[in-house]
Amino acid sequence: MDNEKKRTRRPNGASSIYQSADGKWHGRVTVGVKPDGQPDRRHVERKTEADVINAVRELEKQRDSGKVRKAGQRWTVKTWLTHWVENIAAPSVKPNTLASYRVAVNVHLIPGLGAHRLEKLEPEHLELFYKTMQGRGSAAATVHQAHRSMRTALNHALRRGHLTRNVAMLAVAPRVTEKDVEPYTVAEVQSLLAAASRRRNSARWAIALALGLRQGEALGLRWADVDLATGMLRVRKARQRPKYAHGCTEPCGRKHAGRCPERQQTNADTDDTKSKAGKRTIGLPDELANLLKLHQVEQARERTAAGHQWHDGGWVFASEDGRPLIPRTDWDEWKRLLKAAGLRDARLHDARHTAATVLLILGVSERAVMGVMGWSSTAMAARYQHMIDPIRKDIAKRVGGLLWQVPDAAEGSTPDAPEKGAARGE
């Protein structure tokens, strides 16, 4: 055999380039090992030898840098998002977080992007999708929720080798403008407390305005968490929005399980607090402790009136039959309270902003404020504590008192003037 026609066998794992009978050029590169242990050889096809050489070199470069997509199932955006939300997120995140993920995935992301191959998804696809969402009336905050969900899902795909980059980290989501929050003034808080004193569960609103508990934290309180003798309150759990399943043996005709006459609650009444810092102990003002004592007496009367229909769960704030308050019912009562007090409308969460701002007025240290509010970061102070007119006026008065005070003759013309020779370092 002619020596020029002899071929030297290439070592195992080496890349190969060859031309097929149809004139096309092919390259094969070993990039790793498949799940079954077989070599994972990737194939590229180009029209010219130069092009296939470049493609092989690029694939070898990706292999050497660890950026080759993992072998196995070829995911679409739809199949990956469905797998992620149900099998990765569902066992590991809180119920409210999972609910928001499911809305983002099933209502927005899958209908808008689901047909794309996962590895072919580009930042421009996401940006066009975000623009389309806004064009259809979605708020910028809703678009951001979809963007954050996609970014989290793709991060998991990246860590598992299904992607070589997270395009959601490159895509630019629309800017979200936070609404200005105007906390209630001290006089307005006093009006609210006066109006609340004439309503059921009045101490509920005193706790919100004085201590700044989140809605779930306040509704999740049990009497075991309140020590009226020492004036301490422990925050340990947060009330969840109840979720239901149909309990009827025959179809009841209600679309939503929550309206089924035989509905069955499918989640627990409470969950852990929002964060580790949310578990905290707070001192009760004497006035608030007295309100809670009166509330305890009134609840005992309701328990006696309800008789055997009373559901004794030990809740501090309960319905007239002892069941825990439903967050939506609590929200409605807040709106009615604002009208009764003759005050402007505001979110229930603005009561938390108000409590944080009161602590700022009082000059409470930042570390102590974090303990009361259940914050893990000092950055939250800038979000919740607001510069209001009384604080501005106090600052102006103190600055004026320092700069425009008339010095005594004995004190010299400038405050804290350096001694002679100090400027020369003597």
Side-chain angles (χ1 to χ4, degrees):
M1 182 179 292
D2 193 342
N3 291 334
E4 292 182 0
K5 293 185 180 180
K6 289 183 179 179
R7 290 187 179 181
T8 303
R9 181 179 177 86
R10 300 181 66 82
N12 289 337
S15 302
S16 60
I17 295 174
Y18 60 92
Q19 187 179 28
S20 58
D22 60 3
K24 293 182 179 180
W25 286 87
H26 302 264
R28 295 189 179 275
V29 181
T30 301
V31 298
V33 179
K34 294 180 180 180
D36 63 358
Q38 295 292 321
D40 181 9
R41 284 183 66 79
R42 302 294 172 89
H43 170 253
V44 291
E45 177 185 306
R46 299 293 187 269
K47 292 182 179 180
T48 67
E49 183 180 15
D51 287 342
V52 83
I53 289 173
N54 289 335
V56 166
R57 288 175 177 172
E58 177 62 27
L59 195 52
E60 289 174 336
K61 182 179 178 181
Q62 292 179 10
R63 176 198 62 194
D64 296 341
S65 61
K67 294 183 178 180
V68 177
R69 179 187 58 81
K70 184 179 179 181
Q73 181 176 353
R74 304 299 291 270
W75 299 93
T76 63
V77 171
K78 177 180 179 180
T79 56
W80 175 253
L81 288 178
T82 301
H83 172 76
W84 166 74
V85 76
E86 298 302 336
N87 299 302
I88 300 175
S92 60
V93 301
K94 288 182 175 293
N96 287 345
T97 302
L98 179 60
S100 66
Y101 281 160
R102 282 177 170 154
V103 169
V105 166
N106 297 317
V107 177
H108 301 294
L109 294 172
I110 286 179
L113 297 165
H116 284 282
R117 286 268 294 275
L118 189 65
E119 71 275 13
K120 298 293 185 181
L121 192 65
E122 295 292 338
E124 292 76 16
H125 294 141
L126 297 181
E127 290 163 349
L128 180 60
F129 167 67
Y130 299 153
K131 183 178 179 180
T132 301
M133 281 187 67
Q134 287 190 295
R136 292 175 178 172
S138 293
T142 304
V143 179
H144 258 272
Q145 174 59 29
H147 172 69
R148 290 192 299 271
S149 300
M150 175 64 87
R151 183 178 61 201
T152 303
L154 295 187
N155 268 337
H156 282 278
L158 179 65
R159 288 196 292 269
R160 293 167 185 234
H162 302 308
L163 289 174
T164 60
R165 62 173 182 161
N166 183 344
V167 295
M169 300 292 289
L170 305 175
V172 179
R175 183 169 60 92
V176 176
T177 303
E178 289 192 9
K179 294 182 179 179
D180 292 333
V181 176
E182 183 182 356
Y184 287 111
T185 65
V186 172
E188 289 173 327
V189 170
Q190 291 170 342
S191 296
L192 277 169
L193 294 176
S197 67
R198 299 186 289 271
R199 306 177 74 86
R200 188 175 177 277
N201 281 332
S202 61
R204 155 75 181 102
W205 311 113
I207 279 184
L209 293 163
L211 304 182
L213 266 65
R214 301 175 178 91
Q215 183 191 38
E217 293 171 346
L219 300 188
L221 288 174
R222 299 179 190 261
W223 284 113
D225 301 319
V226 183
D227 190 338
L228 294 176
T230 60
M232 292 294 170
L233 180 148
R234 294 183 299 275
V235 180
R236 293 292 180 269
K237 295 288 184 179
R239 176 80 167 105
Q240 294 193 94
R241 289 182 174 85
K243 299 183 183 300
Y244 300 101
H246 280 278
C248 47
T249 54
E250 297 291 335
C252 64
R254 270 78 165 185
K255 179 179 179 181
H256 299 289
R259 297 177 179 174
C260 173
E262 304 296 329
R263 67 186 185 185
Q264 301 289 328
Q265 187 169 330
T266 58
N267 62 336
D269 290 323
T270 62
D271 193 10
D272 289 335
T273 54
K274 187 175 181 180
S275 65
K276 183 178 179 181
K279 293 184 177 182
R280 59 200 188 277
T281 300
I282 308 172
L284 293 171
D286 292 340
E287 295 80 1
L288 181 51
N290 290 334
L291 284 176
L292 286 169
K293 290 176 183 177
L294 293 174
H295 174 67
Q296 197 172 44
V297 171
E298 181 59 32
Q299 192 178 87
R301 292 196 191 102
E302 291 183 344
R303 183 187 298 108
T304 301
H308 67 278
Q309 294 182 344
W310 181 266
H311 298 265
D312 193 4
W315 304 103
V316 174
F317 303 114
S319 61
E320 293 180 352
D321 63 357
R323 298 176 190 268
L325 291 178
I326 296 174
R328 174 67 197 199
T329 304
D330 181 68
W331 184 88
D332 289 337
E333 177 60 20
W334 166 255
K335 296 297 184 180
R336 287 191 288 267
L337 175 62
L338 293 179
K339 290 183 179 179
L343 297 179
R344 56 186 164 82
D345 188 34
R347 305 172 307 163
L348 174 53
H349 200 66
D350 289 354
R352 182 165 166 82
H353 285 256
T354 298
T357 304
V358 167
L359 296 177
L360 178 63
I361 294 172
L362 294 174
V364 178
S365 69
E366 189 175 72
R367 182 67 185 87
V369 171
M370 290 175 61
V372 172
M373 301 300 295
W375 295 333
S376 57
S377 169
T378 57
M380 298 301 291
R383 182 175 181 180
Y384 279 87
Q385 293 187 309
H386 302 273
M387 288 289 291
I388 59 176
D389 287 344
I391 298 176
R392 296 185 181 100
K393 290 178 180 178
D394 178 64
I395 294 173
K397 183 178 180 180
R398 292 163 65 185
V399 170
L402 175 65
L403 298 182
W404 280 274
Q405 65 178 341
V406 179
D408 295 335
E411 294 179 350
S413 59
T414 58
D416 300 329
E419 296 180 1
K420 184 178 180 180
R424 298 191 301 271
E426 298 177 4

